[in-house]
Structures are given as C-alpha cells and as structure tokens.
Amino acid sequence: MSNTATPPGDHDDSQALTERIRQADAEGTPLRIVGGETKRFHGRDVHGKALSTTGHRDITTYDPVELIVSVRTGTPLAELEAALAEQGQMLACESPHFGDSATVGGMVATGLSGPRRPWAGSVRDFVLGTRVINHQGLEQRFGGEVMKNVAGYDLSRLMVGAQGTLGLVTEVSLKVLPRPAATQSLRLELPLDQALTRLAEWGRQPLPISAVAWYAGHLHLRLEGGPSSVAATRQRLGGEDLEAGFWEDLREHRLDVFRREDPRPLWRLSLPHNTPQLSLAGLEEGDILYDWGGTQRWLRSELDASTLREACARAEGHATCLTPGAAEPFTPLAPVVAKYHHRLKAELDPRGIFNPGRLYAEL
C-alpha cells in the first residue's frame, strides 16, 4: 500500500456534528462527547446531552512510506491498528483499549499510553495535526502532516488529554513507526530494591529495552530491535522467557493488581525517573505494580487521597484515581496553573458546552 485515501462518504458525520454543536452553543446546552465509552472511568462524570462520534469514522489518508496516517476520531482503534499492521507498522505509543469499542478519539482525549511510552513516546508525541469543531460550529485545522509543520502554540497537541473539554476533535494525523524486527520478553526474580538498582544501571546503557514492569517479586522486561541485538541482550540479562501477552494484559489492566472485584480505589502514580519507594503505610507486595521502569505505579490502597497525593508531591509527582465515581480523580491544580486552565477554557469554550466538569468541577 502506498498513499491511500478514503473519500468522504457515509462515514463523514462532520456536518451533523457541526449542527449539533451550533445548536448547543446557541442554547447553552452542555454536551457529553461519546465515543466507545471504554475510558469513561478516566475522569469525572459529565451531565449533558450525548454527542456521539462513532458515526464519524474511517482512515482518510495513509502513506506508509512517509509513516503518516490521518483518521477520523470515531474510527475503532483496533481497526486503525489492523490497517497499520498490514504494512508492518504500529502506533508506537501502544495506547490501551479497555474494550472492543475503543475509538481513536478516546485515545486522543485521554492521552493514555502503554508500556512502550518511556522509550518511544506518548500519544501527544505522535500527533502531527488535528481537525477540531469549535463552540461556534466551525471546523478548524491545527498542525499538519509533517513534524516540521508546527509553529507557535501547538493547539493540536493541547487537545491530547483535554478529555474533549476544549472542542470536538474530528480527525487526527499521526506519526506511525515500523514494527520491531525482533521481540523477546523475559522475567527475572528480583526484590524491588535490586530491580530499581539494575534499572538505573541499564538506563545508562544502549540496551534494546522497550518495556519494564516490576510486580510481586519479579522484574519483567521486553526487548525489541534487531535480531542480533535482542538475542545478545537476552543472553546477557538471563532470567526466564515471558509470554508476550503479558504486556497486553498490563496495558489492558488484566493483571491481578487491576482486578475489578477489589473494592479498594485504583491509583496511578506519576513520578520522576529513579524515584525510590514511597513511604506509604499498610501496603503489601501485591498492592503495587511498577510500570515504565518505575515512573508510573499502579496502586490499590485505602489510603485517603490527601495522604497519597502529599507523598507524591514530595517526590515531585502526582496521583490520579481511576476508580469510577471518584470525587476528584485528578490532582487539584496549583492556583497559577488553574488560572491558565480557566483562561484557556474561557477562550475556546466560553459557554462551557464541551464535557463540562470532566477534568475538574469548575472547568
């Protein structure tokens, strides 16, 4: 496949979306942007009229030679990944699905990335441009389809992780990468302190590591790259072979620490590189999983939010609660940062129609 394109047709729903947004803005009616709903737990509940993007789908352009794809945001994420796989390519950010109905729009809105993120980049890093319908019902284009075509303030990447609070993203252009020539996963039995020490050492060496996780006394590693490099590193590090499906189970929250029948809140801790163990009382080994080499930690705990967030803040990090219904899932904004969030929301969505309260009650 060289340069392919899907012309606008039955799956171009932009006109209907535009009309709905114009009407909502004129009436001051809040809208709840709906895609596949698989990531609805990530953020606060939104009360408003549902605005579905699932009818707005399809890959609009794809150039495997230039490693660029443009796709409408209602497109199923699995459908996009399958099209890329046919050309030996992938979304390197390895975004989670959390269900068969996951869409490209949900990936962009939440900005969630998988195990490869520290080595390849986040969703935001691969966004080249977006089409966005603003509060007036006007379709705007930000960025472009090449990395160098970004000048000034990049609103296209600002939309990543904004949870649909600044406008409706209808299309996104993404940089894609070739799939690795060789992959090998392995597991080493190591206590946490030794695992963190080794990771710090390996981080200073040119090893083909593309994913690292520690859980329940074992360090899990994924090696990706040229066959000779992967084989040599596998022999050097030792350990036992690990099924490649472990990384998908981690990405999709199917491991024990994520089990949904556990009534305790699930927390995502984001911390600087090489942060040691946090001093948190009452934790058992199976309560925490170290992802991204330790910069992302998944925690099951009944600790109150303020205690947990204060511990993260002392390490210059933050904590997000992923349990549905959490009153404040995201760390409260510092006053200066909150001021800029309010100004941005007022500029791009003055009547507050797009997913009001999704990130914070006052936004």
Side-chain angles (χ1 to χ4, degrees):
M1 183 188 298
S2 56
N3 189 16
T4 64
T6 302
D10 292 341
H11 294 155
D12 180 1
D13 206 22
S14 56
Q15 184 174 351
L17 293 171
T18 294
E19 291 173 356
R20 287 285 308 279
I21 290 171
R22 284 177 179 165
Q23 181 180 3
D25 190 63
E27 298 173 351
T29 302
L31 294 173
R32 180 173 68 88
I33 300 173
V34 178
E37 297 269 72
T38 65
K39 301 178 181 70
R40 186 173 180 177
F41 65 89
H42 191 257
R44 304 175 75 254
D45 287 336
V46 174
H47 301 285
K49 290 187 176 180
L51 179 67
S52 176
T53 63
T54 54
H56 189 66
R57 52 182 290 176
D58 290 331
I59 295 173
T60 56
T61 61
Y62 177 26
D63 191 335
V65 176
E66 295 295 330
L67 300 173
I68 294 171
V69 64
S70 294
V71 58
R72 297 186 183 120
T73 50
T75 305
L77 186 54
E79 185 177 302
L80 172 59
E81 291 175 336
L84 298 177
E86 288 181 1
Q87 301 301 312
Q89 296 177 350
M90 64 179 181
L91 294 172
C93 51
E94 209 171 4
S95 296
H97 293 213
F98 301 137
D100 295 338
S101 60
T103 64
V104 173
M107 175 186 75
V108 174
T110 59
L112 296 176
S113 302
R116 194 182 284 110
R117 185 255 185 267
W119 294 271
S122 66
V123 176
R124 181 177 287 109
D125 295 320
F126 290 96
V127 170
L128 302 176
T130 55
R131 290 183 184 272
V132 180
I133 300 177
N134 69 7
H135 69 100
Q136 296 173 312
L138 301 176
E139 189 173 57
Q140 301 174 310
R141 180 170 180 171
F142 302 109
E145 292 187 345
V146 292
M147 294 299 290
K148 66 181 180 181
N149 193 27
V150 176
Y153 196 77
D154 190 2
L155 284 175
S156 60
R157 296 188 180 186
L158 182 67
M159 297 294 170
V160 181
Q163 298 270 34
T165 60
L166 301 177
L168 178 64
V169 180
T170 58
E171 187 174 319
V172 59
S173 297
L174 299 161
K175 185 74 173 178
V176 300
L177 291 181
R179 299 175 70 87
T183 299
Q184 174 71 58
S185 294
L186 55 103
R187 177 172 57 201
L188 294 83
E189 187 173 353
L190 282 174
L192 179 58
D193 56 348
Q194 292 184 29
L196 293 177
T197 298
R198 291 201 187 183
L199 289 176
E201 295 173 355
W202 294 338
R204 297 189 290 269
Q205 302 173 29
L207 301 178
I209 295 174
S210 68
V212 173
W214 183 92
Y215 181 61
H218 290 86
L219 180 64
H220 307 77
L221 297 168
R222 182 175 62 193
L223 310 175
E224 291 183 331
S228 60
S229 176
V230 168
T233 305
R234 168 69 183 87
Q235 184 175 11
R236 172 187 168 185
L237 298 183
E240 60 183 8
D241 290 341
L242 173 69
E243 291 185 4
F246 172 85
W247 303 107
E248 182 176 326
D249 288 342
L250 170 56
R251 184 191 74 181
E252 299 301 328
H253 289 190
R254 294 195 289 255
L255 300 178
D256 286 347
V257 74
F258 302 112
R259 58 187 184 277
R260 300 189 185 280
E261 62 270 17
D262 192 325
R264 296 174 299 171
L266 175 65
W267 290 89
R268 173 180 179 257
L269 313 184
S270 299
L271 299 161
H273 188 59
N274 290 335
T275 298
Q277 299 182 56
L278 299 181
S279 297
L280 299 172
L283 292 185
E284 297 182 1
E285 191 173 74
D287 292 339
I288 187 165
L289 183 149
Y290 286 64
D291 195 5
W292 295 359
T295 60
Q296 176 172 257
R297 302 177 189 181
W298 300 101
L299 172 67
R300 282 286 188 186
S301 175
E302 293 179 343
L303 286 170
D304 63 90
S306 59
T307 298
L308 192 53
R309 284 177 166 147
E310 285 171 6
C312 289
R314 287 193 295 270
E316 299 183 351
H318 62 272
T320 301
C321 185
L322 277 77
T323 298
E328 292 295 339
F330 302 106
T331 297
L333 299 171
V336 173
V337 178
K339 179 183 71 173
Y340 287 109
H341 273 255
H342 281 281
R343 289 175 61 181
L344 185 63
K345 178 72 170 176
E347 181 68 26
L348 298 181
D349 184 22
R351 302 201 68 179
I353 65 169
F354 292 116
N355 275 1
R358 176 68 174 166
L359 293 173
Y360 297 96
E362 66 276 12
L363 290 173

